[in-house]
Amino acid sequence: MNSEKPYLNPNLTLPQLSNELNIPTHHLSKVINENFEMNFFEFVNHYRIDEVKKKMSEPETNSLSLLGIAYESGFNSKSAFNRVFKNITNMTPSEFKKTIDA
């Protein structure tokens, strides 16, 4: 996940990831559920949020909107991005950005 960054693909599915890893889908699902205590989409979205947070603090992304950063990080809708970001960080993306800029 860290080196190849498959989560940047907004259409990533469990079967696609299991195929890339060359392991059965059910096995990957079980590993994610048991080791991370989350489902596949929660697992992927955590990586996407980490990517968003990293990009928010990079000077080269200052010209991008928060939504632009979200799209570059694998999200494909504004509502999903805002909902997931708030669920994971307990802040809106704008609130989080202010903590970086302060």
Side-chain angles (χ1 to χ4, degrees):
M1 291 298 283
N2 291 320
S3 61
E4 300 293 321
K5 298 187 176 188
Y7 55 85
L8 296 178
N9 172 0
N11 301 311
L12 181 66
T13 63
L14 181 62
Q16 286 174 326
L17 185 58
S18 68
N19 189 47
E20 286 182 33
L21 296 172
N22 202 25
I23 59 174
T25 302
H26 69 276
H27 182 70
L28 177 58
S29 179
K30 183 177 178 180
V31 167
I32 292 170
N33 289 322
E34 290 179 0
N35 292 302
F36 297 96
E37 297 181 353
M38 56 183 77
N39 67 36
F40 170 74
F41 292 106
E42 292 168 327
F43 177 74
V44 169
N45 283 334
H46 269 82
Y47 278 93
R48 290 177 176 157
I49 293 300
D50 285 345
E51 186 75 15
V52 166
K53 290 178 356 185
K54 185 181 96 182
K55 287 182 179 192
M56 280 184 186
S57 63
E58 294 174 344
E60 57 269 16
T61 60
N62 281 345
S63 63
L64 290 176
S65 66
L66 291 176
L67 188 56
I69 292 172
Y71 287 146
E72 281 195 357
S73 301
F75 286 97
N76 59 11
S77 83
K78 181 179 181 178
S79 60
F81 165 61
N82 285 327
R83 178 179 33 79
V84 170
F85 196 97
K86 177 91 176 185
N87 285 343
I88 291 175
T89 66
N90 292 319
M91 294 180 177
T92 66
S94 298
E95 289 169 342
F96 185 85
K97 178 73 171 145
K98 286 176 188 171
T99 68
I100 294 170
D101 294 339

